[in-house]
Amino acid sequence: MSDPLVVVNFKTYQTAHGASAESLALAMANIETGARMIAAVSAIDLSAVVAAAPGLEVWCQHLDPVGFGSNTGWLHPSTAIERGASGTLINHAEHKVSLEHVAMLLEQVPEEFEVCACAADVEEARALAALEPDFVAVEPPELIGGEVSVTSADPEIVSGTAQAVKDVSGAVGILCGAGVKTGSDVSKAIDLGTSGVLLASGVTKSDDPSVALNDLVSLL
Ligand code: G3P
């Protein structure tokens, strides 16, 4: 089995933007683990985070399948790649797009650039898996930012998504997120059939992000 993923979405948390994004990324880079630690950062912080945390995998939180030219404010995948991104989230619950947007993005990015498409439920996960992104991450919107991990609040949606995605394509990895905070949440996510987790507040709202990060990978 390949190394489990721990993707930390910095969102626009105050503790994870600007200079704080650089410190948090450095804390992630310093965690000793066999897991793949990935920071999903604001496009504005991308270059600075890549420079501050060499060796850490850095993803965007969103990209647009646009060409070069007249596209004010849109996020061109090639710019992200040139600035050091190795992947992106897309269709996050807080930044929904059409299936067509996801499909066009997948067509546009190079093979090695990873795309994690987010889904609210099993149905959406199945539809996204058919487009063959690298990962589908299931995150029930009502549990995002909450105190209870999806792995405890709704384990069936995690195992159901894992099964549905595998049925569609063996090439698509599965992540889950919403309320994930501890090593036992991560280990339960793996037991339920995923390759890892996507989380935010468990790290960004922690008093000590390094302690939270070490806990997350403690049972892997
Ligand atoms: O993208 C991760 C996210 O939506 C889950 O957020 O705060 O519940 O870990 P959180």
PDB file of all heavy atoms in Angstrom, residues 3 21 29 36 43 50 53 60 62-63 71 73 101 104 108 113 127 135 137-138 156 167 178-179 181 193:
ATOM      1  N   ASP A   3       2.024   5.232   0.722  1.00  0.00           N
ATOM      2  CA  ASP A   3       2.019   5.995   1.976  1.00  0.00           C
ATOM      3  C   ASP A   3       0.691   6.734   2.160  1.00  0.00           C
ATOM      4  O   ASP A   3       0.175   7.323   1.216  1.00  0.00           O
ATOM      5  CB  ASP A   3       3.146   7.038   1.953  1.00  0.00           C
ATOM      6  CG  ASP A   3       4.513   6.379   1.931  1.00  0.00           C
ATOM      7  OD1 ASP A   3       4.623   5.230   2.384  1.00  0.00           O
ATOM      8  OD2 ASP A   3       5.451   7.026   1.441  1.00  0.00           O
ATOM      9  N   ALA A  21       1.108  31.056   7.267  1.00  0.00           N
ATOM     10  CA  ALA A  21       1.072  29.902   6.344  1.00  0.00           C
ATOM     11  C   ALA A  21       2.480  29.329   6.204  1.00  0.00           C
ATOM     12  O   ALA A  21       2.667  28.102   6.168  1.00  0.00           O
ATOM     13  CB  ALA A  21       0.527  30.324   4.981  1.00  0.00           C
ATOM     14  N   ALA A  29       6.592  20.329   7.443  1.00  0.00           N
ATOM     15  CA  ALA A  29       7.799  19.751   6.820  1.00  0.00           C
ATOM     16  C   ALA A  29       8.691  19.079   7.855  1.00  0.00           C
ATOM     17  O   ALA A  29       9.436  18.147   7.532  1.00  0.00           O
ATOM     18  CB  ALA A  29       8.570  20.847   6.087  1.00  0.00           C
ATOM     19  N   ARG A  36       2.479  10.980   3.730  1.00  0.00           N
ATOM     20  CA  ARG A  36       2.676  12.147   2.854  1.00  0.00           C
ATOM     21  C   ARG A  36       1.933  13.328   3.468  1.00  0.00           C
ATOM     22  O   ARG A  36       0.714  13.314   3.555  1.00  0.00           O
ATOM     23  CB  ARG A  36       2.119  11.871   1.458  1.00  0.00           C
ATOM     24  CG  ARG A  36       2.952  10.959   0.602  1.00  0.00           C
ATOM     25  CD  ARG A  36       2.248  10.718  -0.740  1.00  0.00           C
ATOM     26  NE  ARG A  36       2.089  11.938  -1.517  1.00  0.00           N
ATOM     27  CZ  ARG A  36       1.290  12.049  -2.587  1.00  0.00           C
ATOM     28  NH1 ARG A  36       0.578  11.024  -2.990  1.00  0.00           N
ATOM     29  NH2 ARG A  36       1.213  13.180  -3.246  1.00  0.00           N
ATOM     30  N   ALA A  43      -3.692  30.481  -3.166  1.00  0.00           N
ATOM     31  CA  ALA A  43      -2.846  30.755  -4.334  1.00  0.00           C
ATOM     32  C   ALA A  43      -1.909  31.932  -4.055  1.00  0.00           C
ATOM     33  O   ALA A  43      -0.783  31.970  -4.558  1.00  0.00           O
ATOM     34  CB  ALA A  43      -3.723  31.054  -5.544  1.00  0.00           C
ATOM     35  N   VAL A  50       6.140  27.492  -0.647  1.00  0.00           N
ATOM     36  CA  VAL A  50       7.083  26.574  -1.308  1.00  0.00           C
ATOM     37  C   VAL A  50       8.526  26.951  -0.920  1.00  0.00           C
ATOM     38  O   VAL A  50       9.345  26.081  -0.615  1.00  0.00           O
ATOM     39  CB  VAL A  50       6.894  26.605  -2.846  1.00  0.00           C
ATOM     40  CG1 VAL A  50       8.027  25.911  -3.564  1.00  0.00           C
ATOM     41  CG2 VAL A  50       5.553  25.964  -3.212  1.00  0.00           C
ATOM     42  N   ALA A  53       9.166  26.067   2.982  1.00  0.00           N
ATOM     43  CA  ALA A  53       9.137  24.664   3.438  1.00  0.00           C
ATOM     44  C   ALA A  53       9.600  23.743   2.320  1.00  0.00           C
ATOM     45  O   ALA A  53       8.809  22.966   1.770  1.00  0.00           O
ATOM     46  CB  ALA A  53       7.723  24.310   3.896  1.00  0.00           C
ATOM     47  N   CYS A  60      -2.680  23.644  -4.375  1.00  0.00           N
ATOM     48  CA  CYS A  60      -3.602  24.777  -4.383  1.00  0.00           C
ATOM     49  C   CYS A  60      -4.932  24.320  -3.783  1.00  0.00           C
ATOM     50  O   CYS A  60      -5.200  23.129  -3.684  1.00  0.00           O
ATOM     51  CB  CYS A  60      -3.860  25.239  -5.806  1.00  0.00           C
ATOM     52  SG  CYS A  60      -2.403  25.900  -6.593  1.00  0.00           S
ATOM     53  N   HIS A  62      -7.743  25.487  -5.179  1.00  0.00           N
ATOM     54  CA  HIS A  62      -8.682  25.592  -6.300  1.00  0.00           C
ATOM     55  C   HIS A  62      -7.887  26.016  -7.528  1.00  0.00           C
ATOM     56  O   HIS A  62      -6.891  26.737  -7.395  1.00  0.00           O
ATOM     57  CB  HIS A  62      -9.746  26.660  -5.988  1.00  0.00           C
ATOM     58  CG  HIS A  62     -10.613  26.995  -7.157  1.00  0.00           C
ATOM     59  ND1 HIS A  62     -11.758  26.291  -7.458  1.00  0.00           N
ATOM     60  CD2 HIS A  62     -10.496  27.939  -8.132  1.00  0.00           C
ATOM     61  CE1 HIS A  62     -12.294  26.793  -8.554  1.00  0.00           C
ATOM     62  NE2 HIS A  62     -11.551  27.794  -8.989  1.00  0.00           N
ATOM     63  N   LEU A  63      -8.286  25.552  -8.706  1.00  0.00           N
ATOM     64  CA  LEU A  63      -7.709  26.061  -9.960  1.00  0.00           C
ATOM     65  C   LEU A  63      -8.814  26.150 -10.997  1.00  0.00           C
ATOM     66  O   LEU A  63      -9.842  25.476 -10.891  1.00  0.00           O
ATOM     67  CB  LEU A  63      -6.597  25.135 -10.477  1.00  0.00           C
ATOM     68  CG  LEU A  63      -5.250  25.171  -9.739  1.00  0.00           C
ATOM     69  CD1 LEU A  63      -4.315  24.113 -10.311  1.00  0.00           C
ATOM     70  CD2 LEU A  63      -4.601  26.549  -9.776  1.00  0.00           C
ATOM     71  N   ASN A  71      -8.408  36.542 -18.636  1.00  0.00           N
ATOM     72  CA  ASN A  71      -9.143  35.788 -17.608  1.00  0.00           C
ATOM     73  C   ASN A  71      -8.861  36.389 -16.234  1.00  0.00           C
ATOM     74  O   ASN A  71      -8.270  35.744 -15.360  1.00  0.00           O
ATOM     75  CB  ASN A  71      -8.722  34.311 -17.625  1.00  0.00           C
ATOM     76  CG  ASN A  71      -9.007  33.651 -18.960  1.00  0.00           C
ATOM     77  OD1 ASN A  71     -10.162  33.465 -19.345  1.00  0.00           O
ATOM     78  ND2 ASN A  71      -7.956  33.341 -19.703  1.00  0.00           N
ATOM     79  N   GLY A  73      -8.449  37.411 -12.666  1.00  0.00           N
ATOM     80  CA  GLY A  73      -8.749  36.840 -11.351  1.00  0.00           C
ATOM     81  C   GLY A  73      -8.834  35.326 -11.319  1.00  0.00           C
ATOM     82  O   GLY A  73      -8.944  34.741 -10.240  1.00  0.00           O
ATOM     83  N   HIS A 101     -16.194  21.664 -15.161  1.00  0.00           N
ATOM     84  CA  HIS A 101     -14.998  22.379 -14.693  1.00  0.00           C
ATOM     85  C   HIS A 101     -13.934  21.364 -14.263  1.00  0.00           C
ATOM     86  O   HIS A 101     -12.765  21.468 -14.637  1.00  0.00           O
ATOM     87  CB  HIS A 101     -15.406  23.289 -13.519  1.00  0.00           C
ATOM     88  CG  HIS A 101     -14.324  24.156 -12.957  1.00  0.00           C
ATOM     89  ND1 HIS A 101     -14.386  25.532 -12.957  1.00  0.00           N
ATOM     90  CD2 HIS A 101     -13.136  23.861 -12.354  1.00  0.00           C
ATOM     91  CE1 HIS A 101     -13.305  26.045 -12.386  1.00  0.00           C
ATOM     92  NE2 HIS A 101     -12.533  25.043 -12.002  1.00  0.00           N
ATOM     93  N   MET A 104     -12.543  19.507 -17.359  1.00  0.00           N
ATOM     94  CA  MET A 104     -11.633  20.345 -18.156  1.00  0.00           C
ATOM     95  C   MET A 104     -10.303  20.545 -17.447  1.00  0.00           C
ATOM     96  O   MET A 104      -9.237  20.566 -18.065  1.00  0.00           O
ATOM     97  CB  MET A 104     -12.287  21.699 -18.456  1.00  0.00           C
ATOM     98  CG  MET A 104     -13.383  21.593 -19.505  1.00  0.00           C
ATOM     99  SD  MET A 104     -14.387  23.085 -19.608  1.00  0.00           S
ATOM    100  CE  MET A 104     -13.184  24.292 -20.088  1.00  0.00           C
ATOM    101  N   GLN A 108      -6.491  19.487 -18.681  1.00  0.00           N
ATOM    102  CA  GLN A 108      -5.473  20.521 -18.879  1.00  0.00           C
ATOM    103  C   GLN A 108      -4.164  20.254 -18.128  1.00  0.00           C
ATOM    104  O   GLN A 108      -3.101  20.629 -18.613  1.00  0.00           O
ATOM    105  CB  GLN A 108      -6.051  21.877 -18.453  1.00  0.00           C
ATOM    106  CG  GLN A 108      -5.164  23.042 -18.830  1.00  0.00           C
ATOM    107  CD  GLN A 108      -5.876  24.383 -18.619  1.00  0.00           C
ATOM    108  OE1 GLN A 108      -7.100  24.452 -18.611  1.00  0.00           O
ATOM    109  NE2 GLN A 108      -5.099  25.434 -18.452  1.00  0.00           N
ATOM    110  N   PHE A 113       0.620  15.926 -12.136  1.00  0.00           N
ATOM    111  CA  PHE A 113       0.004  16.918 -11.249  1.00  0.00           C
ATOM    112  C   PHE A 113      -1.252  16.298 -10.645  1.00  0.00           C
ATOM    113  O   PHE A 113      -2.148  15.852 -11.353  1.00  0.00           O
ATOM    114  CB  PHE A 113      -0.348  18.180 -12.055  1.00  0.00           C
ATOM    115  CG  PHE A 113      -0.821  19.329 -11.218  1.00  0.00           C
ATOM    116  CD1 PHE A 113       0.081  20.147 -10.555  1.00  0.00           C
ATOM    117  CD2 PHE A 113      -2.183  19.602 -11.097  1.00  0.00           C
ATOM    118  CE1 PHE A 113      -0.359  21.218  -9.781  1.00  0.00           C
ATOM    119  CE2 PHE A 113      -2.629  20.668 -10.325  1.00  0.00           C
ATOM    120  CZ  PHE A 113      -1.717  21.479  -9.672  1.00  0.00           C
ATOM    121  N   ALA A 127     -19.785  10.133  -9.311  1.00  0.00           N
ATOM    122  CA  ALA A 127     -19.744  10.944 -10.537  1.00  0.00           C
ATOM    123  C   ALA A 127     -18.342  11.510 -10.762  1.00  0.00           C
ATOM    124  O   ALA A 127     -17.831  11.521 -11.898  1.00  0.00           O
ATOM    125  CB  ALA A 127     -20.764  12.071 -10.452  1.00  0.00           C
ATOM    126  N   PHE A 135      -7.530  11.597  -6.689  1.00  0.00           N
ATOM    127  CA  PHE A 135      -8.238  11.294  -5.445  1.00  0.00           C
ATOM    128  C   PHE A 135      -9.641  11.873  -5.485  1.00  0.00           C
ATOM    129  O   PHE A 135      -9.876  12.917  -6.085  1.00  0.00           O
ATOM    130  CB  PHE A 135      -7.526  11.911  -4.224  1.00  0.00           C
ATOM    131  CG  PHE A 135      -6.140  11.382  -4.012  1.00  0.00           C
ATOM    132  CD1 PHE A 135      -5.041  12.055  -4.535  1.00  0.00           C
ATOM    133  CD2 PHE A 135      -5.912  10.206  -3.312  1.00  0.00           C
ATOM    134  CE1 PHE A 135      -3.751  11.561  -4.362  1.00  0.00           C
ATOM    135  CE2 PHE A 135      -4.629   9.707  -3.139  1.00  0.00           C
ATOM    136  CZ  PHE A 135      -3.545  10.383  -3.659  1.00  0.00           C
ATOM    137  N   ALA A 137     -12.226  13.000  -2.412  1.00  0.00           N
ATOM    138  CA  ALA A 137     -12.317  13.166  -0.949  1.00  0.00           C
ATOM    139  C   ALA A 137     -13.767  13.404  -0.581  1.00  0.00           C
ATOM    140  O   ALA A 137     -14.389  14.352  -1.072  1.00  0.00           O
ATOM    141  CB  ALA A 137     -11.481  14.362  -0.509  1.00  0.00           C
ATOM    142  N   VAL A 138     -14.296  12.553   0.279  1.00  0.00           N
ATOM    143  CA  VAL A 138     -15.678  12.754   0.711  1.00  0.00           C
ATOM    144  C   VAL A 138     -15.693  13.546   2.021  1.00  0.00           C
ATOM    145  O   VAL A 138     -14.987  13.212   2.974  1.00  0.00           O
ATOM    146  CB  VAL A 138     -16.448  11.415   0.837  1.00  0.00           C
ATOM    147  CG1 VAL A 138     -15.897  10.523   1.945  1.00  0.00           C
ATOM    148  CG2 VAL A 138     -17.940  11.669   1.035  1.00  0.00           C
ATOM    149  N   GLU A 156     -20.338   5.091   7.658  1.00  0.00           N
ATOM    150  CA  GLU A 156     -20.899   4.464   6.440  1.00  0.00           C
ATOM    151  C   GLU A 156     -20.632   5.307   5.201  1.00  0.00           C
ATOM    152  O   GLU A 156     -20.433   4.763   4.113  1.00  0.00           O
ATOM    153  CB  GLU A 156     -22.416   4.250   6.576  1.00  0.00           C
ATOM    154  CG  GLU A 156     -22.831   3.274   7.658  1.00  0.00           C
ATOM    155  CD  GLU A 156     -22.778   3.877   9.066  1.00  0.00           C
ATOM    156  OE1 GLU A 156     -22.767   5.126   9.194  1.00  0.00           O
ATOM    157  OE2 GLU A 156     -22.712   3.088  10.035  1.00  0.00           O
ATOM    158  N   ASP A 167     -15.428   0.735  -7.194  1.00  0.00           N
ATOM    159  CA  ASP A 167     -16.263   0.110  -8.232  1.00  0.00           C
ATOM    160  C   ASP A 167     -16.147   0.855  -9.562  1.00  0.00           C
ATOM    161  O   ASP A 167     -16.228   0.262 -10.626  1.00  0.00           O
ATOM    162  CB  ASP A 167     -17.742   0.098  -7.810  1.00  0.00           C
ATOM    163  CG  ASP A 167     -18.003  -0.909  -6.698  1.00  0.00           C
ATOM    164  OD1 ASP A 167     -17.106  -1.742  -6.426  1.00  0.00           O
ATOM    165  OD2 ASP A 167     -19.088  -0.847  -6.078  1.00  0.00           O
ATOM    166  N   ALA A 178     -13.657  16.121   7.389  1.00  0.00           N
ATOM    167  CA  ALA A 178     -14.679  16.792   8.192  1.00  0.00           C
ATOM    168  C   ALA A 178     -14.534  16.337   9.649  1.00  0.00           C
ATOM    169  O   ALA A 178     -14.805  15.181   9.964  1.00  0.00           O
ATOM    170  CB  ALA A 178     -16.098  16.566   7.692  1.00  0.00           C
ATOM    171  N   GLY A 179     -14.060  17.237  10.466  1.00  0.00           N
ATOM    172  CA  GLY A 179     -13.922  16.969  11.892  1.00  0.00           C
ATOM    173  C   GLY A 179     -12.752  16.087  12.285  1.00  0.00           C
ATOM    174  O   GLY A 179     -12.591  15.750  13.459  1.00  0.00           O
ATOM    175  N   LYS A 181      -9.355  15.024  13.602  1.00  0.00           N
ATOM    176  CA  LYS A 181      -8.449  15.763  14.486  1.00  0.00           C
ATOM    177  C   LYS A 181      -7.333  14.934  15.100  1.00  0.00           C
ATOM    178  O   LYS A 181      -6.324  15.470  15.532  1.00  0.00           O
ATOM    179  CB  LYS A 181      -9.256  16.377  15.646  1.00  0.00           C
ATOM    180  CG  LYS A 181     -10.091  17.561  15.204  1.00  0.00           C
ATOM    181  CD  LYS A 181     -10.839  18.198  16.349  1.00  0.00           C
ATOM    182  CE  LYS A 181     -11.540  19.460  15.875  1.00  0.00           C
ATOM    183  NZ  LYS A 181     -12.390  19.275  14.686  1.00  0.00           N
ATOM    184  N   GLY A 193     -11.194   2.154   4.503  1.00  0.00           N
ATOM    185  CA  GLY A 193     -10.923   1.960   3.073  1.00  0.00           C
ATOM    186  C   GLY A 193     -10.329   3.150   2.339  1.00  0.00           C
ATOM    187  O   GLY A 193     -10.256   3.145   1.114  1.00  0.00           O
TER     188      GLY A 193
END
